[in-house]
Amino acid sequence: MMKSRTLLSWGVLGISALVALIGCASPNAGAGAGGVGPGTLDLELGYGSERPVDLPLPWPDVKADTTQAIQEIESRRKADALSRESRPDPARRPDLDHDVTQGIQSRGLDRVIGR
């Protein structure tokens, strides 16, 4: 009983899917699944019948490109130099003179050695 019910449900599902696919794919149908009527999509696809259109491309002006690149590089260099000059030098802490740093380093060395 259970096997025949499962088989019947799969059969109904398969038939309904087949009917839906045939209805969507039929060329004489008034409107397909998307609701678009006949004649509204006129696509003309030509494969190999026309020659491709070659657009004329101008030759690149190498001299103009190089002068523009040189000008941009120089402006970046000048901007970098100006930004470096405008930044203040990092100030050292006044309490960390040579003797203090030597003492800190020697204490760290003593800890590593184990004295």
Side-chain angles (χ1 to χ4, degrees), residues 42-90:
D42 294 331
L43 300 177
E44 294 180 17
L45 300 175
Y47 294 105
S49 60
E50 301 99 19
R51 293 182 58 200
V53 177
D54 292 329
L55 297 176
L57 297 176
W59 288 96
D61 190 8
V62 178
K63 290 182 182 180
D65 290 343
T66 53
T67 55
Q68 181 183 0
I70 290 172
Q71 289 173 353
E72 289 177 4
I73 290 171
E74 288 299 320
S75 67
R76 287 181 188 166
R77 285 183 185 163
K78 289 177 184 177
D80 288 343
L82 288 175
S83 67
R84 270 189 254 120
E85 289 176 3
S86 66
R87 279 186 269 156
D89 291 333

Side-chain angles (χ1 to χ4, degrees), residues 8-32:
L8 181 65
S9 65
W10 278 106
V12 170
L13 180 68
I15 290 173
S16 61
L18 185 65
V19 168
L21 288 175
I22 289 173
C24 290
S26 66
N28 295 331

